[in-house]
Amino acid sequence: MQSLKQDDTVVEDIDLSFESIKKLKDKTRFWIHETGGNIYIFDQHTGDVVEITDVLSDLIKSKTKEEFNAIKKKLSGDEITENGEFLQNVLDIPDTPVESDETKTKISVLKLNISSTCNLSCAYCFRDKEHNFSITDTSLIYKVINNMVDGFGREADSYTICFNLASEPLLYRDLMNELHTFTKKLQRKIRKRIEIFFVTNGTILTDKIIKVIKSIRKDRPVSISIDGPKHVHDKVRKYPDGTGSYDKIIQNIQLYKKKGMKLCAEGVITKEFPYPLEIIKHLMELGFESINLKPVRQGTPYSFDEKSIESLIKGYDDYYSYITEELLKENYYPLKVLCKDSAIKPLWRILFHSKMNRRCGWGINTISMDHKGDYYPCDSVMGMDEYRVGNVHDGIDFSKFHRDLTCEKRGQCAKCWARHLCSGTCYVNGILEQNDMLAIDPVECRLTKFLIESNLKMICHLLNARADMRTIKTILRINLYEIYLV
């Protein structure tokens, strides 16, 4: 049995009692899984996944004092000592709080939504399609960047500027190129990295545009929105006249490849096709070096509800079975491609003991600016006056920007064993569904907990099969840099 005990000190007054087990249950610390005859436990305090004895597992699972005592009576003195030492060492480990870095000078992610213009009309897009807008004073862009590096982000180690995530950025490639020229000079001045990130729908491409993209992204992948096979993609990602965009994207993918550029697929899963394994296999066949799939946000006809989410969960069952089987065969290619995928993020959070207490960078490290120069904590709430937190001329109102959004403040999240791997559901979903940003979206909660449990089961299965965990962690580690860009 692997133990959390840190040294060889003799433990006196071994506490192997029902009350001591109850303490652990009350803190909702444990997740237990059995595979191949061995039992593993995840402790959210330490982030460790360890193998335990079946005796200790039964003791932890016992629901009454009588049931506990019946199990304990069957134990030898050595078994009581061994399991008691393990238990006492666990009880002695405090729950290390996750620091909330609420500072006025470390904002490092800037989302610039300068326009709502797009050449596509995707069925689930949240942009304002009826009232197109574009920035009229481009000096606002340079002003907010200077405000960030000299003011509200001056203590950040590096910066990421997300360009026009709510519409098609390559419609503004000249402005994007000017922004790149500006940030290159600024980088040299401040001696910090400034990354420009964007996602294109993949339909607009010329030799001139490729030159601009290569200058901006260099050897980093270009992110393209694509939702899978043609019949899946064309159902939702259409031109305004109703025709699908898949064929044009495939044509441009070949051009990107011909120019030696790496590609990342950014896909959306809807209830119309809840089969992530089929989607990723298709995208791998197309030659994408990185794939990231996300369920469509709430509030669209294609969104999942409490019934349809079960079909996506079944689809992810097949997804995890495939990845596990490939890892056991020492085929690491699928994992390498999927390092950025939202369904794999729990894997590296567990293996690298990465604890979270917030859903995202809202109120911490991310600020969004619209075409008028107004600031918001998230680009998905732009236009909602109650979430406006300032503007480029007057600065950030930090009394509105900083909010206590930690998972400990979010009702049922506070007592969930997975809280520091999840940190609650999307704030925007809470706003859209219940007009409360701290409200828990039951659909997202159901899926997220399933994804976390599936990653833990995969780890347990790999440990039980004595898989090469060092290689798996290395593959994840070398890809973390790309993951953390946004």
Side-chain angles (χ1 to χ4, degrees):
M1 181 179 77
Q2 297 180 36
S3 173
L4 296 178
K5 189 177 178 183
Q6 302 299 312
D7 52 42
D8 295 324
T9 303
V10 175
V11 180
E12 299 180 356
D13 300 322
I14 298 301
D15 185 15
L16 188 57
S17 65
F18 182 72
E19 287 70 26
S20 62
I21 292 289
K22 192 170 183 294
K23 290 179 184 178
L24 297 176
K25 289 182 177 180
D26 291 342
K27 291 184 178 181
T28 61
R29 285 177 61 172
F30 288 154
W31 175 89
I32 299 173
H33 179 63
E34 182 175 355
T35 180
N38 294 320
I39 300 173
Y40 296 86
I41 187 169
F42 168 74
D43 179 4
Q44 71 91 8
H45 279 197
T46 64
D48 289 327
V49 178
V50 296
E51 183 181 349
I52 63 172
T53 64
D54 54 355
V55 170
L56 185 56
S57 177
D58 289 340
L59 291 172
I60 292 173
K61 290 177 181 177
S62 62
K63 296 180 180 179
T64 66
K65 193 168 186 177
E66 290 73 20
E67 184 181 352
F68 176 90
N69 288 332
I71 297 170
K72 186 176 178 181
K73 281 181 181 179
K74 298 177 182 179
L75 304 182
S76 67
D78 288 343
E79 286 176 320
I80 291 176
T81 299
E82 178 188 14
N83 290 285
E85 286 181 353
F86 179 90
L87 181 58
Q88 188 148 330
N89 276 282
V90 169
L91 283 170
D92 287 343
I93 297 173
D95 186 6
T96 306
V98 182
E99 295 295 328
S100 294
D101 193 11
E102 294 190 359
T103 174
K104 298 180 179 181
T105 55
K106 280 193 175 181
I107 295 174
S108 59
V109 178
L110 171 63
K111 295 185 177 182
L112 296 173
N113 281 16
I114 64 167
S115 168
S116 65
T117 304
C118 189
N119 62 321
L120 294 186
S121 183
C122 299
Y124 46 63
C125 185
F126 59 88
R127 70 183 178 89
D128 187 346
K129 298 177 183 178
E130 296 182 3
H131 306 94
N132 282 340
F133 60 78
S134 296
I135 194 167
T136 55
D137 183 2
T138 57
S139 69
L140 297 177
I141 296 173
Y142 307 110
K143 183 176 179 63
V144 69
I145 294 172
N146 283 321
N147 286 350
M148 179 170 65
V149 300
D150 293 334
F152 57 75
R154 66 177 179 272
E155 291 188 67
D157 297 324
S158 61
Y159 306 98
T160 299
I161 299 174
C162 304
F163 188 84
N164 236 30
L165 296 182
S167 56
E168 176 48 47
L170 293 182
L171 291 172
Y172 293 84
R173 60 258 193 190
D174 291 339
L175 179 57
M176 193 159 58
N177 196 35
E178 291 174 11
L179 176 62
H180 175 55
T181 301
F182 173 80
T183 56
K184 278 201 306 183
K185 293 179 180 178
L186 187 58
Q187 279 187 130
R188 290 193 292 268
K189 177 183 177 183
I190 64 175
R191 299 181 180 275
K192 295 180 182 180
R193 179 181 62 83
I194 303 177
E195 188 84 20
I196 297 177
F197 176 82
F198 61 91
V199 180
T200 175
N201 61 35
T203 62
I204 302 173
L205 197 63
T206 64
D207 287 338
K208 182 180 178 181
I209 291 175
I210 284 181
K211 186 177 180 181
V212 172
I213 294 174
K214 291 186 79 169
S215 176
I216 294 172
R217 296 299 294 162
K218 295 184 170 52
D219 60 343
R220 300 207 172 280
V222 179
S223 293
I224 296 177
S225 298
I226 182 169
D227 289 354
K230 179 178 172 63
H231 70 282
V232 178
H233 178 96
D234 280 350
K235 189 166 186 175
V236 286
R237 292 194 179 271
K238 304 175 182 180
Y239 289 98
D241 65 3
T243 58
S245 58
Y246 181 86
D247 291 338
K248 185 62 177 177
I249 294 172
I250 297 302
Q251 177 184 330
N252 287 338
I253 285 174
Q254 302 310 315
L255 184 54
Y256 276 118
K257 289 290 185 180
K258 187 177 179 181
K259 297 294 183 178
M261 301 174 75
K262 299 177 183 178
L263 300 177
C264 171
E266 298 281 353
V268 174
I269 306 176
T270 73
K271 67 180 183 182
E272 301 296 319
F273 196 79
Y275 309 113
L277 180 57
E278 291 186 41
I279 295 172
I280 64 164
K281 283 186 173 181
H282 179 77
L283 296 176
M284 285 193 291
E285 288 174 0
L286 293 179
F288 283 95
E289 284 87 0
S290 178
I291 298 170
N292 180 30
L293 303 180
K294 293 182 180 179
V296 64
R297 65 180 290 175
Q298 293 294 73
T300 81
Y302 298 88
S303 302
F304 292 93
D305 56 24
E306 292 185 58
K307 182 178 179 180
S308 59
I309 196 65
E310 299 304 320
S311 61
L312 180 57
I313 284 172
K314 187 177 184 302
Y316 270 119
D317 251 339
D318 297 334
Y319 170 104
Y320 286 114
S321 295
Y322 166 74
I323 295 172
T324 304
E325 289 169 5
E326 294 306 307
L327 289 175
L328 290 176
K329 292 187 291 187
E330 298 186 351
N331 175 18
Y332 302 109
Y333 178 72
L335 178 64
K336 181 180 179 181
V337 174
L338 293 168
C339 279
K340 189 180 178 184
D341 190 31
S342 59
I344 292 296
K345 284 187 178 181
L347 179 64
W348 52 261
R349 284 177 182 154
I350 296 163
L351 292 179
F352 297 121
H353 296 74
S354 176
K355 297 177 74 172
M356 304 166 53
N357 70 347
R358 286 174 176 260
R359 174 64 167 72
C360 63
W362 182 310
I364 295 292
N365 71 335
T366 301
I367 197 77
S368 299
M369 188 186 82
D370 69 8
H371 67 293
K372 297 180 292 185
D374 287 335
Y375 292 157
Y376 296 85
C378 173
D379 54 337
S380 295
V381 296
M382 285 185 174
M384 300 182 187
D385 288 341
E386 61 268 41
Y387 296 105
R388 181 179 172 275
V389 295
N391 64 70
V392 70
H393 301 296
D394 301 327
I396 300 174
D397 182 345
F398 282 96
S399 66
K400 294 181 179 179
F401 181 70
H402 286 323
R403 299 192 184 199
D404 191 352
L405 305 177
T406 58
C407 53
E408 285 78 7
K409 302 293 184 181
R410 302 190 69 183
Q412 67 197 61
C413 293
K415 294 184 178 181
C416 178
W417 63 266
R419 59 189 175 273
H420 291 309
L421 296 174
C422 164
S423 299
T425 58
C426 176
Y427 306 127
V428 177
N429 281 347
I431 293 169
L432 293 176
E433 296 298 305
Q434 303 180 49
N435 198 31
D436 178 4
M437 63 187 305
L438 290 178
I440 301 302
D441 173 14
V443 177
E444 184 186 346
C445 180
R446 168 77 173 108
L447 176 62
T448 302
K449 187 174 286 189
F450 172 80
L451 298 181
I452 292 171
E453 289 179 340
S454 296
N455 277 277
L456 281 165
K457 289 177 182 178
M458 180 163 62
I459 290 171
C460 294
H461 193 84
L462 293 170
L463 288 172
N464 191 63
R466 301 297 186 262
D468 187 353
M469 299 303 294
R470 179 175 292 184
T471 297
I472 291 170
K473 290 177 74 172
T474 298
I475 290 170
L476 291 169
R477 185 178 289 111
I478 62 178
N479 285 274
L480 285 180
Y481 180 70
E482 283 291 334
I483 293 171
Y484 277 123
L485 282 180
V486 182

